[in-house]
Amino acid sequence: MTPRSKRTAFRVGTAILMAGALAALAGCSGGNSGATTGGPIAMYTWVSSQSDRDQWQGFIDLGKKVDPSLDVTIEGPSFNDYWTKVKTRLSGSNPPCLLTTQAARAQELSGLLMPLDDLIKKYKLDTSAFDSSMLKGMTVDGTIRAIPYDAEPIVLYYNKDAFTAAGLDLPSTTYTRDQFIADAKKLTTADHKALAIAPGFFIPNAWAIADGAEAVKSGKLDLTNSKLVDQVQSYFDLVSKDGIAKAPEAADASDASQAAFTSGAVDMLIEGPWMYGTFADAAKFDLGVTIVPSTSGDAHGMTAGSGFGIAKNCKDPDGAFKAIVAMTDTSVLKGQAEKRGIVPSRADAQSAWAEGKSPEAYAAVQALLKNATAQLTTPTWNQVETLFTQYGVEGYRGDKTAKDVLNTIQNSVGQ
């Protein structure tokens, strides 16, 4: 947490005045936590590293240029701990007012987040300016629970040099599954695979959404629907049938597939646009970006992103909402896109992400955002990810079908 500013009590001429001054100080002492009006608004968020803290401070510093009265403090645990500790923090003394959430986790935190619709109407915030998929992802029981600051559609990175050397056409903002597999097979040799695959369900989910299949229906886990089963099977088949990728190991971290791509050991990788700067710096080849392939070839993006919400027990919701308005202003999101590499949730700020990126990368992101679906999850999603990481390996190896794997997970999670 940032150091708290200390207030100095001045002597007054009488005991009555002294008592009044002390009472006034006591009344605003909770301001740093956002529990009362008139003081700093506390934001509880994930702070896994100095980079995280710098990002949040960037929103605050840029927000102050929009609203000079903006006064927000930062506290919070690591990202992995945040989702459990936030519940404890809000039940303690002087709870914070501002909370961060991902669209994927809004359902999980719905009991903690205040519906914002009345405040949106009161302060005339134009929600149509924000990415619709992210707003939908942050809507629970028909009410908006957070205002998104980014909208990150999952993309396919590829090695342009490898494609050119193999005589392949570079993908554009359309890319069919058939063409993708044909390209990958041409790039694959006995000891070289075209695609890197990481364990977990995040990327297979993006693959499925690209073809219109989803894992959550009406807020409930729906892993066994036939469309999703077919899509996950087609993703398993990239390894077991098409032979264009190696099966991941359950113990692999996501950076293993990333390192394989940037080193040139593989030629393609499905990942988030937030990795563009890292990949461009690390790769010794010309970096390409296209859409996640679909059967039709049309772009359908899975968006991942985060936003700012207000705790239900916040005693200064108006002050907290004004802070959100300032920190999601177009100028702020442009600044964060330029400095932090986020894809802004506001369409009128997204051109800032294009700075320093290839034109085709920006075109791919824009095409995906025009037809996007946020990754939606349930409160049991951590179990889904853990079990898919464990059992998915057998799917990639062809030992189990997608139907087997997804049925096992659905029955184990039981939601």
Side-chain angles (χ1 to χ4, degrees):
M1 186 177 182
T2 53
R4 298 188 176 190
S5 60
K6 297 181 179 179
R7 304 179 186 274
T8 304
F10 293 92
R11 294 179 180 270
V12 293
T14 68
I16 293 176
L17 287 176
M18 176 64 81
L22 290 174
L25 282 172
C28 64
S29 63
N32 228 20
S33 66
T36 60
T37 59
I41 301 291
M43 179 168 70
Y44 194 76
T45 184
W46 49 87
V47 188
S48 298
S49 63
Q50 186 60 44
S51 178
D52 282 347
R53 184 173 292 279
D54 291 344
Q55 173 178 262
W56 304 128
Q57 193 60 50
F59 280 108
I60 296 167
D61 292 343
L62 291 169
K64 284 181 180 178
K65 296 179 180 180
V66 177
D67 179 2
S69 68
L70 180 68
D71 191 1
V72 175
T73 60
I74 307 164
E75 63 167 301
S78 69
F79 179 84
N80 289 335
D81 289 339
Y82 175 78
W83 307 100
T84 53
K85 290 188 175 180
V86 63
K87 300 166 188 176
T88 304
R89 180 66 184 88
L90 288 181
S91 64
S93 61
N94 295 327
C97 262
L98 288 173
L99 303 177
T100 54
T101 186
Q102 296 181 321
R105 311 293 285 263
Q107 187 82 22
E108 183 178 343
L109 298 188
S110 61
L112 310 178
L113 292 167
M114 175 186 296
L116 301 181
D117 300 72
D118 288 343
L119 289 165
I120 289 170
K121 184 177 180 180
K122 180 177 180 179
Y123 290 98
K124 299 178 180 178
L125 179 65
D126 181 12
T127 55
S128 68
F130 293 88
D131 179 76
S132 59
S133 70
M134 289 301 299
L135 278 175
K136 183 178 180 181
M138 292 181 173
T139 297
V140 180
D141 295 332
T143 59
I144 296 173
R145 304 302 177 95
I147 303 299
Y149 60 76
D150 67 343
E152 313 270 5
I154 306 307
V155 300
L156 173 68
Y157 291 95
Y158 67 95
N159 182 331
K160 284 187 180 180
D161 295 346
F163 267 65
T164 301
L168 301 173
D169 293 333
L170 300 183
S172 64
T173 53
T174 60
Y175 200 24
T176 67
R177 294 267 173 94
D178 287 345
Q179 187 61 56
F180 162 74
I181 292 171
D183 290 345
K185 285 184 174 180
K186 192 163 185 180
L187 292 164
T188 297
T189 62
D191 57 355
H192 175 89
K193 299 295 185 182
L195 178 70
I197 289 180
F201 190 57
F202 183 69
I203 299 304
N205 200 18
W207 176 270
I209 284 176
D211 249 26
E214 296 186 55
V216 174
K217 182 179 181 180
S218 302
K220 301 294 184 181
L221 200 62
D222 188 27
L223 296 179
T224 56
N225 74 78
S226 59
K227 288 184 69 174
L228 182 69
V229 169
D230 289 346
Q231 287 300 311
V232 174
Q233 186 61 58
S234 71
Y235 197 70
F236 285 162
D237 287 347
L238 298 178
V239 175
S240 60
K241 179 182 175 182
D242 302 312
I244 64 170
K246 293 180 180 177
E249 298 295 333
D252 287 347
S254 60
D255 57 1
S257 58
Q258 295 168 6
F261 174 65
T262 55
S263 70
V266 299
D267 308 304
M268 294 186 279
L269 177 69
I270 300 174
E271 251 296 355
W274 55 83
M275 294 302 300
Y276 185 98
T278 300
F279 289 169
D281 289 342
K284 300 294 191 293
F285 52 81
D286 196 1
L287 182 66
V289 179
T290 187
I291 68 168
V292 175
S294 64
T295 299
S296 68
D298 296 332
H300 186 172
M302 183 184 87
T303 46
S306 305
F308 302 110
I310 301 175
K312 280 187 175 178
N313 59 353
C314 172
K315 295 183 180 179
D316 186 14
D318 287 87
F321 192 75
K322 289 177 183 177
I324 291 175
V325 170
M327 293 191 295
T328 57
D329 184 80
T330 298
S331 63
V332 174
L333 300 190
K334 281 186 174 181
Q336 290 291 71
E338 293 167 356
K339 188 170 184 179
R340 310 294 305 183
I342 69 166
V343 177
S345 58
R346 284 181 176 269
D348 60 358
Q350 287 165 3
S351 60
W353 186 84
E355 295 296 322
K357 315 291 192 308
S358 64
E360 67 268 19
Y362 181 58
V365 165
Q366 288 294 289
L368 289 163
L369 287 176
K370 286 177 182 177
N371 180 25
T373 299
Q375 179 188 220
L376 302 182
T377 67
T378 66
T380 57
W381 199 254
N382 281 341
Q383 293 171 262
V384 173
E385 280 286 352
T386 299
L387 291 172
F388 193 91
T389 298
Q390 177 183 350
Y391 296 119
V393 172
E394 296 176 272
Y396 290 114
R397 292 173 178 167
D399 298 329
K400 287 188 176 180
T401 66
K403 185 176 182 179
D404 294 333
V405 172
L406 294 174
N407 270 326
T408 298
I409 297 172
Q410 180 82 39
N411 292 333
S412 297
V413 173
Q415 195 228 61

